[in-house]
Amino acid sequence: MIFYSTNKQSTPASLKKATLEGLASDGGLYVPSAIPRFSEEEIQLLSDAPFNDIAFAIAKKFNDGEIPDNHLGEIVEKCFTFTTPLVGLETGTYIEELFNGPTLAFKDYGARFLAHLTGYFAEEDHKLITILVATSGDTGSAVAYGFKGVPNTRVILLYPSGKVSRLQEQQLTTVGGNVTALEVDGDFDDCQRLVKQAFMDAELKQNLALTSANSINISRLIPQTFYYAWGSLQLVERYPGKKAVFSVPSGNYGNLTGGVLAKKMGFPIKHFIAGSNANDSVTRYLEEGRYEPLPTVATLSSAMDVGNPSNFARLRHFYRDDHHAMAADISGYSVSDSETLDTIRKVYDRFGYIMDPHTAVGFRALEKFRETNSESNGPAAVLSTAHPAKFTESIKEALNMNITLPDRLQEVLDKQKISVPMSADYRDLSSFLSKL
Ligand SMILES: *Cc1c(COP(=O)(O)O)cnc(C)c1O
């Protein structure tokens, strides 16, 4: 498969090049030259297939022979060692739980696939690839755990000292092995600036085979189609003749873009609901057709606090910049913090189910959609993007209840933190990297 840049200025790339480059050289995002299609027969054959078979079938179409099938199969098996449960709350309403990976958030799907593809390509070139990432928390931990122990790769994470939660810091600083955490005396913007400077240092970039693993990497997007395909097929099994509706808690809109791809590939999906918090640039675009990004504001669903989502460019590309076409497929609703807490409470009271604040935004957005669309719209699944135990404070506030951490998280909290202190001066980072 050939990938183009959304800015159309840089040369087309193979899967390997697009994966190792992340962002295209013209600053655009890589998109497939054509969206692979699944025929009705192919979909029929996958209808009761296990998750990894569906993942493999999709990955194979994007790969198009670059990686031999047996290796691609191994990569898929290594990535998705955890389950993707579809939990029924009531007739026609489901939660698709995407939080069973190592960091208990959906970003594990993308990060693990990217990590194993990068490892494969590194081995092919007999290279050691260095992944340099600035993180404010969640992305960094997914990347750290995704690349943990992957041969021919090492990860250098920069995080702002004192500005991430204790759980996040423990997740970043206790992986060890091929993952090193740099604790920067500064804020997240300093971390991003340092990483950018390192990437502009041509000699360093070359010597260390630096790559970024950032959230717009095409190899993080591809695996985000797998659970839509799987979820839609599961729902259609239960509701023959219907198509699935997905409600997606959205921040940078990578997750939703994965869904749009799955629909365009031919999987039985009827409609999307994009739930946003107070950061509602895309919600307003869907309503009004004008895109006017605003500065980011802080909310309870913090992983969705994005004022100017970078994946919006890709979403637009897939709808050929046609607002009506996009709005026909996607309904957007913004959900306030108080509605979020209310939703956590109501869902617990009605169903005994505890959801994290991000998932609650998705759930409330689905309710708003149903309030204004009375006709039957087929079975719906809210994508649950994080385990509630990652957001104990919101759960405490909404339910007045302490939830116990899963063993895996408790273990992480008990480990010894190991970080390298770093100033916000680029010379320090440069000297650290040149000694690697
Ligand atoms: C990153 C994240 C989101 C937002 O996903 P996007 O792809 O950026 O829209 C939602 N929930 C959680 C828990 C996340 O970590």
Side-chain angles (χ1 to χ4, degrees):
M1 171 77 64
I2 295 294
F3 296 88
Y4 291 125
S5 162
T6 48
N7 286 353
K8 301 189 179 74
Q9 300 301 312
S10 58
T11 47
S14 61
L15 180 61
K16 177 175 179 173
K17 181 166 186 276
T19 299
L20 298 182
E21 259 184 14
L23 200 64
S25 56
D26 61 5
L29 280 66
Y30 281 114
V31 288
S33 52
I35 296 175
R37 290 282 309 179
F38 281 79
S39 67
E40 275 184 32
E41 295 74 56
E42 285 176 302
I43 296 217
Q44 193 56 44
L45 281 172
L46 288 175
S47 63
D48 54 5
F51 185 96
N52 282 2
D53 289 12
I54 294 169
F56 175 74
I58 297 173
K60 187 170 150 75
K61 296 217 183 206
F62 282 103
N63 168 52
D64 203 12
E66 243 180 281
I67 302 170
D69 278 357
N70 58 333
H71 288 291
L72 189 64
E74 282 168 20
I75 289 170
V76 166
E77 293 298 330
K78 280 186 211 154
C79 290
F80 309 111
T81 50
F82 47 89
T83 58
T84 305
L86 203 58
V87 178
L89 294 187
E90 61 184 339
T91 306
T93 306
Y94 292 79
I95 307 290
E96 186 170 350
E97 295 182 342
L98 304 180
F99 56 64
N100 288 311
T103 71
L104 306 186
F106 92 96
K107 288 190 176 66
D108 286 326
Y109 288 83
R112 286 170 77 80
F113 194 70
L114 171 63
H116 287 285
L117 280 194
T118 304
Y120 176 83
F121 291 135
E123 188 178 333
E124 199 175 62
D125 289 351
H126 310 289
K127 268 203 303 215
L128 171 65
I129 287 183
T130 303
I131 294 96
L132 186 67
V133 224
T135 181
S136 55
D138 282 339
T139 301
S141 54
V143 168
Y145 278 84
F147 281 87
K148 175 185 179 182
V150 174
N152 306 301
T153 70
R154 71 177 156 205
V155 176
I156 314 288
L157 295 162
L158 283 78
Y159 74 96
S161 181
K163 300 208 165 58
V164 301
S165 74
R166 171 157 146 71
L167 175 61
Q168 284 173 331
E169 180 165 39
Q170 287 295 109
Q171 284 185 313
L172 297 172
T173 57
T174 63
V175 177
N178 62 336
V179 179
T180 304
L182 307 185
E183 183 172 354
V184 174
D185 183 15
D187 57 20
F188 176 57
D189 290 332
D190 290 318
C191 297
Q192 276 194 307
R193 172 180 49 79
L194 291 171
V195 166
K196 265 194 193 141
Q197 273 176 288
F199 276 98
M200 285 188 302
D201 187 335
E203 199 185 304
L204 193 68
K205 191 171 176 214
Q206 179 70 32
N207 289 344
L208 291 179
L210 279 189
T211 174
S212 73
N214 61 21
S215 66
I216 48 79
N217 196 298
I218 189 72
S219 286
R220 283 178 64 164
L221 183 64
I222 293 168
Q224 287 173 189
T225 66
F226 301 165
Y227 46 76
Y228 287 95
W230 153 260
S232 67
L233 293 173
Q234 291 282 310
L235 287 175
V236 169
E237 280 278 293
R238 296 173 206 193
Y239 298 84
K242 300 271 196 209
K243 287 185 173 186
V245 171
F246 284 102
S247 183
V248 189
S250 296
N252 213 7
Y253 287 79
N255 197 356
L256 181 65
T257 307
V260 166
L261 264 179
K263 182 175 194 296
K264 289 185 183 285
M265 282 190 268
F267 287 95
I269 299 169
K270 177 158 180 185
H271 197 71
F272 297 100
I273 296 141
S276 65
N277 56 31
N279 298 282
D280 62 351
S281 311
V282 174
T283 317
R284 283 180 289 110
Y285 169 82
L286 287 166
E287 228 162 70
E288 300 156 13
R290 277 193 313 275
Y291 186 62
E292 288 163 350
L294 292 173
T296 303
V297 295
T299 74
L300 293 177
S301 45
S302 52
M304 290 155 49
D305 293 347
V306 185
N308 190 7
S310 50
N311 263 297
F312 186 57
R314 242 188 209 132
L315 209 48
R316 268 187 148 160
H317 166 88
F318 288 130
Y319 287 103
R320 299 171 195 280
D321 236 335
D322 179 345
H323 167 257
H324 287 288
M326 197 195 291
D329 274 1
I330 307 168
S331 304
Y333 298 93
S334 168
V335 175
S336 70
D337 275 357
S338 65
E339 285 178 294
T340 302
L341 291 174
D342 251 8
T343 302
I344 295 175
R345 223 170 275 133
K346 281 190 186 143
V347 168
Y348 182 68
D349 288 346
R350 276 179 67 194
F351 308 111
Y353 186 89
I354 302 178
M355 51 178 48
D356 95 290
H358 303 80
T359 309
V361 168
F363 190 89
R364 180 69 194 124
L366 172 62
E367 284 184 333
K368 290 188 183 199
F369 172 73
R370 284 178 167 165
E371 281 160 16
T372 45
N373 294 267
S374 48
E375 90 262 34
S376 162
N377 260 299
V382 177
L383 298 187
S384 179
T385 50
H387 192 293
K390 292 191 85 174
F391 298 91
T392 44
E393 277 163 36
S394 291
I395 303 302
K396 173 107 187 131
E397 191 177 346
L399 303 179
N400 195 22
M401 168 196 294
N402 290 312
I403 46 174
T404 47
L405 291 178
D407 290 349
R408 278 176 296 160
L409 277 191
Q410 193 55 53
E411 277 166 25
V412 169
L413 281 177
D414 295 340
K415 279 191 191 163
Q416 171 77 35
K417 162 187 161 182
I418 299 175
S419 67
V420 179
M422 182 76 37
S423 78
D425 184 336
Y426 178 65
R427 282 170 298 184
D428 270 1
L429 178 65
S430 159
S431 110
F432 174 85
L433 291 175
S434 55
K435 285 189 214 118
L436 284 178

